[in-house]
Amino acid sequence: MMRAMLGDGADDAIRELQSRGFDPAAMAAASGLPDDPAALQQVVAQVQALLSASGDEPVNWQMAHDLARQQAAAGGDPSLTAQQSKQVLDALAVAELWLDAATELPPSTGTPHAWSRAEWVEATLPTWRTLTEPVASSLSSALVSALGGSLPLGLDDSEVPGLDAGNLLRQLGSAVFGMQVGQAAGTLAHDVFGTTDIGLPLLDQPTPALVAANVDAFAEGLDAPADEVRLFLALREAAATRLFTHVPWLRSHLLSTVETYARGITIDVDQLEEAVSSIDPTDAAALQQALSGGVFAPHTTPEQVAALERLETALALVEGWVDEVASNAALPHLPHTMALREMIRRRRAAGGPAEQTFANLVGLELRPRRLRDAAALWAQIARDNGAAARDAVWDHPDLLPGTEDLDDPSGYAARRATAVDDAAEVDRALAEILGEEPGEQA
Protein backbone atom coordinates (compact mmCIF):
# COMPACT_ATOMS: atom_id res chain seq x y z
CA MET A 1 0.00 0.00 0.00
CA MET A 2 2.74 2.48 0.92
CA ARG A 3 4.53 1.61 -2.35
CA ALA A 4 1.39 2.56 -4.25
CA MET A 5 1.25 5.86 -2.44
CA LEU A 6 4.92 6.76 -2.79
CA GLY A 7 5.32 5.64 -6.43
CA ASP A 8 8.82 5.65 -7.90
CA GLY A 9 11.50 5.23 -5.28
CA ALA A 10 9.01 3.68 -2.87
CA ASP A 11 11.49 1.17 -1.45
CA ASP A 12 14.08 3.86 -0.72
CA ALA A 13 11.44 6.09 0.86
CA ILE A 14 10.11 3.28 3.05
CA ARG A 15 13.64 2.39 4.20
CA GLU A 16 14.22 6.07 4.98
CA LEU A 17 11.08 6.18 7.10
CA GLN A 18 12.03 3.00 8.93
CA SER A 19 15.54 4.28 9.62
CA ARG A 20 13.97 7.25 11.38
CA GLY A 21 11.89 5.04 13.63
CA PHE A 22 8.57 5.20 11.74
CA ASP A 23 6.45 2.24 10.70
CA PRO A 24 4.90 3.16 7.29
CA ALA A 25 2.22 0.48 7.53
CA ALA A 26 1.15 1.63 10.98
CA MET A 27 1.11 5.25 9.82
CA ALA A 28 -1.15 4.40 6.89
CA ALA A 29 -3.48 2.36 9.08
CA ALA A 30 -3.72 5.14 11.66
CA SER A 31 -4.54 7.67 8.98
CA GLY A 32 -7.52 5.62 7.79
CA LEU A 33 -6.15 5.16 4.26
CA PRO A 34 -7.66 2.25 2.30
CA ASP A 35 -5.80 -1.03 1.90
CA ASP A 36 -6.87 -1.50 -1.72
CA PRO A 37 -4.08 -0.17 -3.99
CA ALA A 38 -6.52 1.18 -6.58
CA ALA A 39 -8.53 3.02 -3.95
CA LEU A 40 -5.33 4.37 -2.41
CA GLN A 41 -4.14 5.64 -5.76
CA GLN A 42 -7.45 7.47 -6.14
CA VAL A 43 -7.01 9.13 -2.74
CA VAL A 44 -3.47 10.18 -3.62
CA ALA A 45 -4.62 11.57 -6.97
CA GLN A 46 -7.30 13.61 -5.22
CA VAL A 47 -4.80 15.02 -2.74
CA GLN A 48 -2.37 15.88 -5.53
CA ALA A 49 -5.12 17.59 -7.50
CA LEU A 50 -6.17 19.49 -4.41
CA LEU A 51 -2.70 20.83 -3.77
CA SER A 52 -1.90 21.58 -7.41
CA ALA A 53 -5.17 23.48 -7.81
CA SER A 54 -4.18 25.84 -5.01
CA GLY A 55 -1.32 27.28 -7.04
CA ASP A 56 0.27 30.38 -5.56
CA GLU A 57 -3.00 31.91 -4.34
CA PRO A 58 -3.52 32.26 -0.58
CA VAL A 59 -7.06 30.89 -1.05
CA ASN A 60 -8.11 28.07 -3.37
CA TRP A 61 -10.92 29.99 -5.05
CA GLN A 62 -12.17 27.17 -7.23
CA MET A 63 -12.71 25.12 -4.11
CA ALA A 64 -14.32 28.09 -2.34
CA HIS A 65 -16.70 28.66 -5.26
CA ASP A 66 -17.73 25.02 -5.59
CA LEU A 67 -18.26 24.53 -1.87
CA ALA A 68 -20.21 27.79 -1.53
CA ARG A 69 -22.53 26.79 -4.37
CA GLN A 70 -22.97 23.34 -2.85
CA GLN A 71 -23.71 24.77 0.59
CA ALA A 72 -26.11 27.37 -0.82
CA ALA A 73 -28.07 24.62 -2.59
CA ALA A 74 -28.38 22.50 0.57
CA GLY A 75 -32.04 21.98 1.32
CA GLY A 76 -33.05 23.23 -2.11
CA ASP A 77 -32.53 26.49 -3.97
CA PRO A 78 -35.01 26.61 -6.86
CA SER A 79 -35.01 29.42 -9.37
CA LEU A 80 -37.29 32.31 -8.47
CA THR A 81 -40.81 32.31 -9.83
CA ALA A 82 -42.11 35.32 -11.71
CA GLN A 83 -44.26 36.20 -8.72
CA GLN A 84 -41.31 36.11 -6.29
CA SER A 85 -39.25 38.37 -8.53
CA LYS A 86 -42.12 40.81 -8.92
CA GLN A 87 -42.72 40.97 -5.17
CA VAL A 88 -39.06 41.79 -4.48
CA LEU A 89 -38.68 44.34 -7.27
CA ASP A 90 -41.95 46.06 -6.36
CA ALA A 91 -40.84 46.26 -2.70
CA LEU A 92 -37.50 47.80 -3.67
CA ALA A 93 -39.23 50.35 -5.93
CA VAL A 94 -41.62 51.41 -3.15
CA ALA A 95 -38.72 51.58 -0.70
CA GLU A 96 -36.91 54.09 -2.89
CA LEU A 97 -39.98 56.34 -2.97
CA TRP A 98 -40.35 56.28 0.81
CA LEU A 99 -36.63 56.90 1.36
CA ASP A 100 -36.78 60.11 -0.66
CA ALA A 101 -38.65 61.64 2.27
CA ALA A 102 -36.16 60.38 4.86
CA THR A 103 -32.71 61.14 3.42
CA GLU A 104 -30.94 63.62 1.17
CA LEU A 105 -28.94 60.85 -0.47
CA PRO A 106 -30.45 59.95 -3.88
CA PRO A 107 -31.25 56.40 -5.03
CA SER A 108 -28.55 54.08 -6.30
CA THR A 109 -28.09 54.01 -10.05
CA GLY A 110 -27.76 50.21 -10.02
CA THR A 111 -30.46 47.90 -11.34
CA PRO A 112 -32.35 46.20 -8.47
CA HIS A 113 -32.30 42.40 -8.31
CA ALA A 114 -34.28 39.50 -6.90
CA TRP A 115 -31.86 36.62 -6.31
CA SER A 116 -31.72 32.97 -5.43
CA ARG A 117 -29.08 31.91 -2.91
CA ALA A 118 -26.80 30.67 -5.69
CA GLU A 119 -27.06 34.03 -7.45
CA TRP A 120 -26.12 35.77 -4.21
CA VAL A 121 -23.00 33.58 -3.96
CA GLU A 122 -21.96 34.31 -7.55
CA ALA A 123 -22.47 38.07 -7.12
CA THR A 124 -20.67 38.45 -3.80
CA LEU A 125 -17.76 36.00 -4.05
CA PRO A 126 -15.41 38.57 -5.66
CA THR A 127 -15.69 40.71 -2.53
CA TRP A 128 -15.01 37.71 -0.31
CA ARG A 129 -11.78 37.47 -2.26
CA THR A 130 -10.90 41.09 -1.56
CA LEU A 131 -11.81 40.68 2.08
CA THR A 132 -10.14 37.39 2.94
CA GLU A 133 -6.99 37.26 0.80
CA PRO A 134 -5.02 39.76 2.92
CA VAL A 135 -5.80 37.73 6.03
CA ALA A 136 -5.09 34.40 4.35
CA SER A 137 -1.82 35.68 2.90
CA SER A 138 -0.61 37.03 6.24
CA LEU A 139 -1.59 33.88 8.11
CA SER A 140 0.05 31.69 5.46
CA SER A 141 3.31 33.62 5.81
CA ALA A 142 3.11 33.31 9.57
CA LEU A 143 2.57 29.56 9.37
CA VAL A 144 5.48 29.09 6.96
CA SER A 145 7.70 31.13 9.28
CA ALA A 146 6.60 29.14 12.32
CA LEU A 147 6.51 25.63 10.89
CA GLY A 148 8.47 25.70 7.63
CA GLY A 149 11.55 24.17 9.22
CA SER A 150 9.68 21.61 11.25
CA LEU A 151 8.00 19.28 8.76
CA PRO A 152 7.45 15.71 9.97
CA LEU A 153 10.46 13.42 9.54
CA GLY A 154 12.79 16.41 9.16
CA LEU A 155 12.90 15.86 5.41
CA ASP A 156 13.99 18.61 3.05
CA ASP A 157 14.53 19.06 -0.68
CA SER A 158 18.00 17.47 -0.56
CA GLU A 159 16.56 14.23 0.79
CA VAL A 160 13.32 14.09 -1.17
CA PRO A 161 13.55 15.91 -4.52
CA GLY A 162 10.70 18.30 -5.14
CA LEU A 163 9.78 18.71 -1.48
CA ASP A 164 9.48 22.38 -0.58
CA ALA A 165 8.29 22.84 2.98
CA GLY A 166 7.16 26.43 2.49
CA ASN A 167 5.29 25.69 -0.72
CA LEU A 168 3.63 22.63 0.80
CA LEU A 169 2.39 24.64 3.77
CA ARG A 170 1.12 27.41 1.49
CA GLN A 171 -0.78 24.91 -0.66
CA LEU A 172 -2.30 23.25 2.36
CA GLY A 173 -3.24 26.65 3.78
CA SER A 174 -4.76 27.67 0.46
CA ALA A 175 -6.92 24.55 0.42
CA VAL A 176 -8.01 25.01 4.02
CA PHE A 177 -8.89 28.66 3.47
CA GLY A 178 -10.77 27.73 0.31
CA MET A 179 -12.91 25.31 2.28
CA GLN A 180 -13.49 27.84 5.06
CA VAL A 181 -14.43 30.69 2.72
CA GLY A 182 -16.74 28.43 0.72
CA GLN A 183 -18.39 27.12 3.86
CA ALA A 184 -18.86 30.63 5.29
CA ALA A 185 -20.19 32.17 2.07
CA GLY A 186 -22.50 29.23 1.37
CA THR A 187 -23.89 29.27 4.91
CA LEU A 188 -24.38 33.03 4.82
CA ALA A 189 -26.37 32.58 1.61
CA HIS A 190 -29.08 30.97 3.75
CA ASP A 191 -29.13 33.83 6.29
CA VAL A 192 -28.69 37.13 4.48
CA PHE A 193 -31.52 39.25 3.11
CA GLY A 194 -29.44 41.30 0.67
CA THR A 195 -25.96 42.59 -0.05
CA THR A 196 -25.33 44.74 3.03
CA ASP A 197 -26.36 42.53 5.97
CA ILE A 198 -22.88 42.19 7.43
CA GLY A 199 -22.16 45.92 7.31
CA LEU A 200 -19.69 45.63 4.45
CA PRO A 201 -20.80 46.24 0.86
CA LEU A 202 -20.51 42.92 -0.93
CA LEU A 203 -20.74 44.33 -4.47
CA ASP A 204 -18.14 46.41 -6.31
CA GLN A 205 -20.93 48.54 -7.73
CA PRO A 206 -23.65 48.93 -5.07
CA THR A 207 -27.11 47.93 -6.19
CA PRO A 208 -30.13 46.86 -4.10
CA ALA A 209 -30.96 43.16 -4.09
CA LEU A 210 -32.91 40.76 -1.92
CA VAL A 211 -32.66 36.97 -1.60
CA ALA A 212 -36.33 36.11 -1.98
CA ALA A 213 -36.26 32.71 -0.24
CA ASN A 214 -34.56 34.13 2.85
CA VAL A 215 -36.99 37.04 3.08
CA ASP A 216 -39.95 34.67 2.83
CA ALA A 217 -38.45 32.31 5.42
CA PHE A 218 -37.87 35.20 7.85
CA ALA A 219 -41.46 36.41 7.46
CA GLU A 220 -42.91 33.00 8.28
CA GLY A 221 -44.26 32.85 11.81
CA LEU A 222 -44.06 36.62 12.43
CA ASP A 223 -47.12 38.59 13.45
CA ALA A 224 -46.47 41.11 10.68
CA PRO A 225 -47.75 40.34 7.15
CA ALA A 226 -45.16 39.03 4.72
CA ASP A 227 -45.57 42.06 2.44
CA GLU A 228 -44.80 44.40 5.36
CA VAL A 229 -41.71 42.42 6.34
CA ARG A 230 -40.51 42.45 2.73
CA LEU A 231 -40.98 46.22 2.50
CA PHE A 232 -39.10 46.83 5.74
CA LEU A 233 -36.14 44.73 4.60
CA ALA A 234 -36.25 46.44 1.20
CA LEU A 235 -36.01 49.82 2.96
CA ARG A 236 -32.89 48.72 4.84
CA GLU A 237 -31.26 47.31 1.71
CA ALA A 238 -32.07 50.38 -0.38
CA ALA A 239 -30.90 52.77 2.36
CA ALA A 240 -27.56 50.98 2.75
CA THR A 241 -27.11 50.91 -1.02
CA ARG A 242 -27.70 54.68 -1.21
CA LEU A 243 -25.05 55.19 1.45
CA PHE A 244 -22.38 53.07 -0.24
CA THR A 245 -23.21 54.55 -3.65
CA HIS A 246 -22.95 58.21 -2.68
CA VAL A 247 -20.17 57.94 -0.09
CA PRO A 248 -17.49 56.61 -2.45
CA TRP A 249 -14.70 56.48 0.13
CA LEU A 250 -16.67 54.33 2.59
CA ARG A 251 -16.17 50.93 0.98
CA SER A 252 -12.41 51.33 0.61
CA HIS A 253 -12.22 52.71 4.15
CA LEU A 254 -13.81 49.57 5.59
CA LEU A 255 -11.85 47.11 3.45
CA SER A 256 -8.53 48.87 4.07
CA THR A 257 -9.17 48.67 7.81
CA VAL A 258 -9.54 44.90 7.47
CA GLU A 259 -6.30 44.80 5.48
CA THR A 260 -4.49 46.84 8.15
CA TYR A 261 -5.57 44.28 10.70
CA ALA A 262 -4.44 41.42 8.45
CA ARG A 263 -0.92 42.81 7.99
CA GLY A 264 -0.23 42.43 11.70
CA ILE A 265 -1.09 38.73 12.00
CA THR A 266 1.52 36.68 13.86
CA ILE A 267 1.57 33.27 15.53
CA ASP A 268 3.07 32.50 18.92
CA VAL A 269 5.48 29.70 18.00
CA ASP A 270 6.14 28.74 21.62
CA GLN A 271 2.41 28.36 22.28
CA LEU A 272 2.02 26.35 19.09
CA GLU A 273 4.85 23.97 19.97
CA GLU A 274 3.59 23.57 23.51
CA ALA A 275 0.09 22.78 22.27
CA VAL A 276 1.11 20.10 19.79
CA SER A 277 4.01 18.52 21.69
CA SER A 278 1.78 16.42 23.93
CA ILE A 279 -0.69 15.34 21.23
CA ASP A 280 -0.77 11.85 19.78
CA PRO A 281 -1.26 12.50 16.05
CA THR A 282 -3.29 9.30 15.77
CA ASP A 283 -5.74 10.52 18.44
CA ALA A 284 -8.33 12.35 16.34
CA ALA A 285 -10.24 13.64 19.34
CA ALA A 286 -7.16 15.16 20.97
CA LEU A 287 -6.05 16.72 17.71
CA GLN A 288 -9.47 18.24 17.07
CA GLN A 289 -9.56 19.65 20.59
CA ALA A 290 -6.16 21.27 20.14
CA LEU A 291 -7.05 22.80 16.79
CA SER A 292 -10.28 24.23 18.17
CA GLY A 293 -8.57 25.56 21.28
CA GLY A 294 -7.16 28.65 19.63
CA VAL A 295 -3.52 27.54 19.27
CA PHE A 296 -3.47 29.07 15.79
CA ALA A 297 -5.33 32.21 16.83
CA PRO A 298 -3.42 35.33 15.78
CA HIS A 299 -2.14 37.54 18.57
CA THR A 300 -3.47 41.09 18.55
CA THR A 301 -0.94 43.92 18.30
CA PRO A 302 -1.58 47.54 19.33
CA GLU A 303 -1.94 48.44 15.65
CA GLN A 304 -4.55 45.72 15.21
CA VAL A 305 -6.42 46.89 18.31
CA ALA A 306 -6.61 50.35 16.77
CA ALA A 307 -7.79 48.91 13.44
CA LEU A 308 -10.43 46.81 15.19
CA GLU A 309 -11.71 49.87 17.06
CA ARG A 310 -11.94 51.87 13.83
CA LEU A 311 -13.75 49.04 12.09
CA GLU A 312 -16.15 48.49 14.97
CA THR A 313 -16.99 52.20 15.11
CA ALA A 314 -17.43 52.45 11.33
CA LEU A 315 -19.68 49.37 11.21
CA ALA A 316 -21.79 50.76 14.03
CA LEU A 317 -22.12 54.11 12.24
CA VAL A 318 -23.15 52.45 8.98
CA GLU A 319 -25.66 50.17 10.68
CA GLY A 320 -26.96 52.95 12.91
CA TRP A 321 -27.55 55.28 9.96
CA VAL A 322 -29.37 52.56 8.01
CA ASP A 323 -31.41 51.67 11.09
CA GLU A 324 -32.44 55.28 11.72
CA VAL A 325 -33.16 56.27 8.11
CA ALA A 326 -35.01 53.08 7.14
CA SER A 327 -37.14 53.18 10.28
CA ASN A 328 -38.03 56.85 9.75
CA ALA A 329 -39.07 56.04 6.19
CA ALA A 330 -41.15 53.06 7.33
CA LEU A 331 -42.98 54.63 10.29
CA PRO A 332 -45.69 56.46 8.29
CA HIS A 333 -46.48 53.34 6.25
CA LEU A 334 -45.79 50.12 8.18
CA PRO A 335 -47.67 49.46 11.45
CA HIS A 336 -45.09 46.95 12.71
CA THR A 337 -42.06 49.18 12.11
CA MET A 338 -40.85 49.36 15.73
CA ALA A 339 -41.24 45.62 16.30
CA LEU A 340 -39.38 44.80 13.09
CA ARG A 341 -36.69 47.34 13.92
CA GLU A 342 -36.07 45.75 17.31
CA MET A 343 -36.02 42.26 15.81
CA ILE A 344 -33.38 43.24 13.25
CA ARG A 345 -31.33 45.00 15.92
CA ARG A 346 -31.22 41.88 18.04
CA ARG A 347 -30.46 39.71 15.05
CA ARG A 348 -27.50 41.88 14.06
CA ALA A 349 -26.18 42.11 17.62
CA ALA A 350 -26.33 38.36 18.21
CA GLY A 351 -25.00 37.20 14.85
CA GLY A 352 -25.35 33.57 13.83
CA PRO A 353 -23.38 30.44 12.95
CA ALA A 354 -22.37 31.82 9.55
CA GLU A 355 -21.03 35.06 11.02
CA GLN A 356 -19.16 33.06 13.65
CA THR A 357 -17.61 30.98 10.88
CA PHE A 358 -16.49 34.18 9.19
CA ALA A 359 -15.17 35.53 12.50
CA ASN A 360 -13.04 32.40 12.93
CA LEU A 361 -11.81 32.73 9.35
CA VAL A 362 -10.87 36.40 9.30
CA GLY A 363 -10.40 37.01 13.00
CA LEU A 364 -12.98 39.79 12.91
CA GLU A 365 -16.53 39.88 14.20
CA LEU A 366 -18.47 41.94 11.69
CA ARG A 367 -21.17 42.90 14.15
CA PRO A 368 -22.05 46.47 15.09
CA ARG A 369 -21.77 46.15 18.87
CA ARG A 370 -22.76 49.79 19.30
CA LEU A 371 -25.65 49.88 16.88
CA ARG A 372 -28.07 51.43 19.36
CA ASP A 373 -25.59 54.13 20.36
CA ALA A 374 -24.93 54.95 16.71
CA ALA A 375 -28.64 55.15 15.87
CA ALA A 376 -29.15 57.48 18.85
CA LEU A 377 -26.29 59.67 17.61
CA TRP A 378 -27.72 59.99 14.10
CA ALA A 379 -31.14 60.81 15.57
CA GLN A 380 -29.56 63.49 17.78
CA ILE A 381 -27.76 65.09 14.83
CA ALA A 382 -31.01 65.18 12.85
CA ARG A 383 -32.89 66.74 15.78
CA ASP A 384 -30.21 69.40 16.22
CA ASN A 385 -29.65 70.39 12.60
CA GLY A 386 -31.96 68.37 10.33
CA ALA A 387 -31.62 65.32 8.09
CA ALA A 388 -29.40 67.17 5.61
CA ALA A 389 -26.81 67.85 8.32
CA ARG A 390 -27.01 64.23 9.43
CA ASP A 391 -26.27 62.97 5.92
CA ALA A 392 -23.55 65.59 5.36
CA VAL A 393 -21.43 63.96 8.07
CA TRP A 394 -20.56 61.33 5.45
CA ASP A 395 -18.93 63.94 3.19
CA HIS A 396 -15.43 63.11 4.45
CA PRO A 397 -13.92 60.43 6.70
CA ASP A 398 -12.48 63.13 8.97
CA LEU A 399 -16.03 64.17 9.85
CA LEU A 400 -17.03 60.73 11.10
CA PRO A 401 -18.00 60.58 14.76
CA GLY A 402 -15.75 58.58 17.08
CA THR A 403 -16.18 56.45 20.16
CA GLU A 404 -16.53 59.57 22.34
CA ASP A 405 -19.52 60.62 20.25
CA LEU A 406 -21.10 57.19 20.61
CA ASP A 407 -20.59 57.49 24.37
CA ASP A 408 -22.23 60.91 24.50
CA PRO A 409 -24.45 61.67 21.48
CA SER A 410 -25.88 64.83 23.08
CA GLY A 411 -22.43 66.43 23.21
CA TYR A 412 -21.58 65.75 19.57
CA ALA A 413 -22.63 69.20 18.31
CA ALA A 414 -20.50 71.05 20.86
CA ARG A 415 -17.44 68.87 20.17
CA ARG A 416 -17.87 69.31 16.43
CA ALA A 417 -18.17 73.08 16.81
CA THR A 418 -14.99 73.14 18.87
CA ALA A 419 -13.18 71.09 16.25
CA VAL A 420 -14.34 73.47 13.51
CA ASP A 421 -13.16 76.48 15.51
CA ASP A 422 -9.78 74.84 16.10
CA ALA A 423 -9.41 74.11 12.39
CA ALA A 424 -10.32 77.71 11.52
CA GLU A 425 -7.70 78.96 13.96
CA VAL A 426 -5.06 76.79 12.30
CA ASP A 427 -6.13 78.13 8.89
CA ARG A 428 -5.76 81.71 10.11
CA ALA A 429 -2.30 80.99 11.51
CA LEU A 430 -1.18 79.39 8.24
CA ALA A 431 -2.55 82.36 6.27
CA GLU A 432 -0.51 84.77 8.35
CA ILE A 433 2.65 82.74 7.88
CA LEU A 434 2.12 82.44 4.13
CA GLY A 435 1.01 86.05 3.74
CA GLU A 436 -2.37 85.02 2.35
CA GLU A 437 -5.84 86.23 3.04
CA PRO A 438 -7.71 83.95 5.46
CA GLY A 439 -9.23 81.05 3.58
CA GLU A 440 -6.96 81.31 0.50
CA GLN A 441 -4.99 78.17 1.29
CA ALA A 442 -8.19 76.18 1.47
Side-chain angles (χ1 to χ4, degrees), residues 87 91 98 193 210 214-237 330 334-337 339-340 343-344:
Q87 288 173 337
W98 292 354
F193 301 130
L210 290 178
N214 295 347
V215 173
D216 293 342
F218 179 68
E220 290 180 2
L222 298 183
D223 292 335
D227 289 344
E228 188 173 342
V229 175
R230 188 180 299 107
L231 279 165
F232 186 80
L233 296 177
L235 280 166
R236 289 180 51 83
E237 174 73 5
L334 304 180
H336 294 85
T337 292
L340 290 170
M343 188 174 297
I344 294 297

Side-chain angles (χ1 to χ4, degrees), residues 24-39:
M27 292 169 60
S31 68
L33 292 173
D35 292 327
D36 178 59

Side-chain angles (χ1 to χ4, degrees), residues 78-89 114-116 212-213 216:
S79 299
L80 269 61
T81 65
Q83 181 182 7
Q84 285 178 306
S85 295
K86 184 178 187 302
Q87 288 173 337
V88 167
L89 297 179
W115 280 338
S116 66
D216 293 342

Side-chain angles (χ1 to χ4, degrees), residues 118-143:
E119 289 171 322
W120 182 90
V121 166
E122 293 291 345
T124 62
L125 205 56
T127 297
W128 293 120
R129 185 169 194 150
T130 301
L131 190 61
T132 59
E133 276 200 342
V135 181
S137 180
S138 293
L139 188 56
S140 175
S141 298
L143 283 172

